[in-house]
Every structure is written in C-alpha cells, then in structure tokens.
Amino acid sequence: MCGIVGYTGDEQAAPILLDGLAKLEYRGYDSAGIAVFDGEKINMAKAAGRLKVLSELTHDGKELPGFIGIGHTRWATHGAPSDTNAHPHCNKDQSIVVVHNGIIENYLKLRRKLESKGYEFQSETDTEVLAHLLDYYYTGEPVSTIIKVMHRVEGSYALGILFEKHPGEMYAVRKDSPLIVGKAQSGNLIASDVPAVLKYTREVCFIENEEIVKLTGNEMHFYNVDEEEITKEFQTIAWDVSAAEKGGYEHFMLKEMYEQPKAVGDTLSPRIKGNRIVIEELGMSDEEIRAIRKIYIIACGSAFHSGMTNKYVFEGLARIPVEVDLASEFRYRDPIFEPNTLVIIVSQSGETADSLAALREAKAHGVPVLGIVNVVGSSIAREADHVMYTWAGPEIAVATTKAYSTQLIAQYLLALKFAQVRATVSDEELEEMIQDLKQLPDQIEMLLNNKEKIQHFANRYIAARDVFFIGRGIDYAISMEGSLKLKEISYIHSEAYAAGELKHGTISLIEDGTLVAAVLTQESLYKKMISNIEEVRTRGAFVLAVTNVGNHEVEKTADYVIYIPKTNRYFTNSLAIIPLQLFGYYVAIGKGCDVDKPRNLAKSVTVE
C-alpha cells in the first residue's frame, strides 16, 4: 500500500520519480504527487486519480526541474482521495517535505498538540502531522530531528524527506513499512519495492526498522536510532527490467498467468535431486523435522488459501497436525504454542503487516518460524529463522496468479520433504509424486493454451450478479481461491462454500440462472460432489464443473465441464486453479474492469 520513490544525482529527478512510481502502480493507489528541489525551493505537484493525471499536469516532469526529489502514490486511509490529501506533505513554508507509507496511530494526539502550538493543517491525513513535527523539532541537523520525531510517533512508517536548508540531501527512515536503497551510476534512490529501481540499478540494500539513511548524489550514510553511523551490505537483484514489463501482453495479469509454467518449474527444479527432495535453504536438520508435532500455517488472502490446500497435503503425507490461520486473527487471539511447533508464514511480498506481526508473536514465544516468500531480502525473509523462496519473479498485477501457484509448489515440496524424513511415504510413492510434480509445468501450459473454451464460457456470465464456488476437502480450498479471483477483479459477488454445508443455509441463495462452479478433483469424493451438483441444479443453478480427465459421470449432472490432466490427488489444485483464473480474468475483461489495478485493493498490504 502506497509507493515511495526518491532520487538524487546527476539527472533530472522528476522523470525518474514518475517512472519509478509507474513501476509501483501495482501496489494500489488513488492519488499521486512529486516534490523536486530546484536549487532554491522545493516545488510540488499533486493530483487525485491515476498517475497519468500527474504526468500530464507536469508535462512528464518537465515542469519541475531539479536533480533531487521524492514521489508518492497514495492509498487512502485518513481522508478521501483528493489533491489536498495526496502526498507529499509539507510544513507551512514548504521548506520540509515528506512522503509516507504506513499509518501514524497517535496522529490525533500529535495534531492537537501541534495545533495548540499554532500549527495549521491543510489536509485530513495523518502524514501532515509528520511534516509539522519535523518542523517543530528541527535542530539544524536532519538526523537528530528525525530521531526526535521517531520517539514521538506510534505506528508504522517509511518516510522520504527533503529539507530545503540541506540541498542535495535526501533522508529516509522506516519502521514496519518496507524501504530499500538503490545505488546507481547516475545517483542514488529510495523506493518501497525493487521494481521501482530496476531500470537504474540492481544493487540494493534493505533498510531495517528504525534505521535512517542520508543520501546525496554520490554518498550514502546509514544511522541507527542512537545517531551512530552503521554499515549496510548491498545485494544484487537477479530480476531484469523486462520481468516487470508487460512484454506484449494486454495486461500484467495475463502475462503472469502465462508465466506460471516457468515460475512453477523454477520453484521445483532446484529442490529435486534425483528421487529426493532437497531444500538446502531450509536450515532444519532431519532430527528437527522429526521432532515437529504441530504446524501453524499463517497468511492472508491468496497465501492463506495456499495454506488451506497444504493443510491437507501436510496432514496426508507427513502426518503432522496443521492449523491454518488468518494472520489478522492469529495476532490477536493469544495462540497456544506447544513444544515442537513450527510456524510457517506465507507471503508474496514478505512485507504483509499482519503476517509480520504473527511472525514476531511466534518468535517472542521461542517458536521457530519458516518464511515462504517471493521477494528476496524482504522483512519476513530477514526476520524468519528459515526462509524458502518461491522464485516467481516480479508480480505486478494486484490479483496474484503465479505467486500463488509457486506458494502451492513450495508447500508441496516442504510436505514431501517432511514425509521423506519422517518415512511416512514409501520410496516408491515419493518417486511417483516427484514425477507428477515434474509434469505440472507442462500440464499448466496445456491448460493455458486451451483458454478459448474458458473465454467463450466467461462471455456468457459478464452480467452475473452472484456466483458460488463449491468443493470438498482440497477442492474447497481451491474454490476459495477461484472465488477470490473472480470477486477482486470483476466486482461480482462471489462466495466459496464447503459443499457439505449447502444444506445448512447456503442453498437458500440458489435461484434460476445462478452460476455455481463445482470443483471435484478428489476421486473419493466424486459421488458426494455429484449429489451436491444435483441439489443446486434442481433449484435452478447453472453448473460449471472442473474435474479430472476421465470423470465423464459428471457430464450427466453439470451443464458445462472443464477437464484437467491427471496428477496426484494432492497436487490437483495447481491445475484446477488455471481455468478458474482464466474465468475470472475474461469475465473482468468483458465488463471493462481494470484487471491489473482493481479498485480499493493494494498488492502489498503493509498496514492493518
């Protein structure tokens, strides 16, 4: 949520800021602004709406000359989207300018204090408090001023700051909101995420909590909260610029769906050695794995759905009890941590606020934490005891596709590794499952290449008001993800239900013409699912079924059937999700929705 970009160097700053912000559009936003120091004063331009409005307002940045500046895309929390509420925010004489990602929890108290001192506020935002606080505590030394403000502020923040009295210098600080520093040939940058700087550099470092950075065009200095200078290590990001571009596809979401075979292969291949699962980065000995008696999988959104799937996989293969929790609920329910428990945190960005809080709760109780993340060097990756990367590459569309698919794969591999060590599957079973895993990329590609059938079907349901997804066991987990894909990009009301619960209330919502998507990939549950399909059809539903090749019995009850290739019953979600992703995409396209940037949503949820 919200995006920050800053630049200082030898080139005009405004075009670089606008370009960097464009690479952060996937995070979700409703207004944008930039501030550039022209050598005499700091000039600002802000606009509600899409970034192109700001680009047009500034003639692609030409109206704001200068070699140092900060930019921001805002996702509204305090105050409606407007030019006034857009960032950057400043003190009265515009000599201190700040951009902010996060939430200042005690901003009302601080605002009242500042108003009592004569400060006047122009916006409804919590961020404007920071600009006036920086003014109030300004000592002539930016670092000591920032530290004084840090001591007064409660909440989360990543800040980019310009002081007019310190030309050529840009300052940044973070607490619980992501921030990186990039080192380029033409200057230095700050940003909320890697894609914003890839065009200029692959050399980045990740700022830790309560660390402050001072940047000039050719120097970097890092400080801790005691104003002591510290040393930071840079790392090389392997992603290239093209990975964050559309590459000829109409939308990032479509491009990323078609990248799933490669992403799944990239996540699989380093961890399969012959007929064994080898996860070198896991950092857990066989003795530690055998000692595990309970697993928590904690996540949000689609990552939570991947955990729901893998509850069945872990329990079925490794015979370990698994509890799957929404991170936002887990952090407040005073969880019981028993001995020999492992906590697995799943997150695409590695910055999800609730998931980070759950991680810290577990570590505070001495429980080992494994992070499954996509972004190298992210907060969850750094703070977890062990980390397993999904290698999906940059994912720009807000609605996840390839990151979700690689989360499934990472957890399959982990479950098989545990089963291998604990000897809960035979060598023959393990070998068969590894072969099934190796086939998944080609099977996913085959489903993607047969998209026309899904596209044709989706065109019939552009005007749908309600869609229901049903399944049992693993198929219920995939129904949850299919339902989420549809609702978040098409804005059609959609719900997923465990099929066995239909008669406990849900079936009353079925009426003539209601679309019900039924997922049945678990052979042992075919008959029960067919009975559920008959129940909704007799009440007027039109049924789309997603099932395995060879299950022709379903054709007698469903109205429309999509077949997926045969694979191990634990891995079917990796295939069943593909037609559901395509269905949601083509319905949204038919309605004219912005599939890459759906309304009110953000890619990386770094605040509660």
Side-chain angles (χ1 to χ4, degrees), residues 10 47 49 63 77 87 99 135 143 165 167 177 179 239 260 279 292 345 371 380 389 417-418 443 529 534 579 597 604:
D10 302 328
E63 294 295 313
T77 54
H87 297 211
V99 291
D135 180 275
V143 173
K165 294 180 180 179
S177 287
L179 193 68
W239 300 346
Q260 286 176 113
I279 308 176
I292 297 298
I345 306 287
I380 290 173
Y389 289 112
K417 172 67 176 179
F418 276 48
Q443 291 173 325
M529 277 301 301
E534 289 174 342
K597 299 183 285 289
S604 180

Side-chain angles (χ1 to χ4, degrees), residues 507-523:
I507 204 165
S508 67
L509 298 172
I510 305 299
E511 55 189 31
D512 283 344
T514 301
L515 176 61
V516 174
V519 185
L520 54 164
T521 69
Q522 304 298 296
E523 191 170 348

Side-chain angles (χ1 to χ4, degrees), residues 399-591:
T400 181
T401 51
K402 64 174 181 173
Y404 168 80
S405 288
T406 56
Q407 288 167 355
L408 288 176
I409 295 296
Q411 291 171 85
Y412 296 162
L413 289 166
L414 195 62
L416 279 174
K417 172 67 176 179
F418 276 48
Q420 174 183 293
V421 170
R422 296 163 68 91
T424 51
V425 297
S426 67
D427 289 343
E428 292 77 13
E429 289 172 319
L430 182 63
E431 184 175 348
E432 287 178 7
M433 283 187 278
I434 288 174
Q435 292 308 311
D436 283 332
L437 285 176
K438 289 180 176 180
Q439 292 180 46
L440 286 177
D442 289 339
Q443 291 173 325
I444 291 171
E445 187 166 11
M446 184 197 76
L447 288 166
L448 287 166
N449 289 337
N450 291 322
K451 66 181 185 300
E452 287 79 10
K453 186 177 181 181
I454 297 291
Q455 187 174 6
H456 174 73
F457 181 80
N459 289 337
R460 299 169 57 179
Y461 281 91
I462 291 169
R465 291 186 301 120
D466 303 284
V467 179
F468 297 96
F469 290 72
I470 60 172
R472 289 173 179 261
I474 280 178
D475 293 334
Y476 171 48
I478 203 64
S479 295
M480 295 170 72
E481 178 60 14
S483 173
L484 178 61
K485 283 286 120 357
L486 180 65
K487 74 176 73 171
E488 65 185 344
I489 61 173
S490 74
Y491 317 139
I492 292 173
H493 170 250
S494 172
E495 299 295 340
Y497 291 96
E501 292 294 296
L502 281 170
K503 290 187 285 293
H504 295 275
T506 308
I507 204 165
S508 67
L509 298 172
I510 305 299
E511 55 189 31
D512 283 344
T514 301
L515 176 61
V516 174
V519 185
L520 54 164
T521 69
Q522 304 298 296
E523 191 170 348
S524 62
L525 296 170
Y526 279 172
K527 290 182 179 178
K528 292 187 181 298
M529 277 301 301
I530 288 171
S531 295
N532 294 135
I533 291 172
E534 289 174 342
E535 287 174 348
V536 296
R537 277 200 72 199
T538 58
R539 287 156 177 85
F542 188 95
V543 178
L544 164 67
V546 179
T547 192
N548 303 316
V549 166
N551 183 20
H552 298 296
E553 188 69 21
V554 74
E555 294 177 6
K556 298 176 183 177
T557 51
D559 297 286
Y560 202 87
V561 182
I562 296 168
Y563 290 103
I564 64 171
K566 281 284 185 72
T567 189
N568 185 279
R569 64 190 176 96
Y570 288 114
F571 309 148
T572 55
N573 280 10
S574 288
L575 303 178
I577 189 55
I578 303 303
L580 299 182
Q581 289 174 347
L582 289 166
F583 175 67
Y585 173 80
Y586 283 116
V587 169
I589 291 299
K591 292 186 65 181

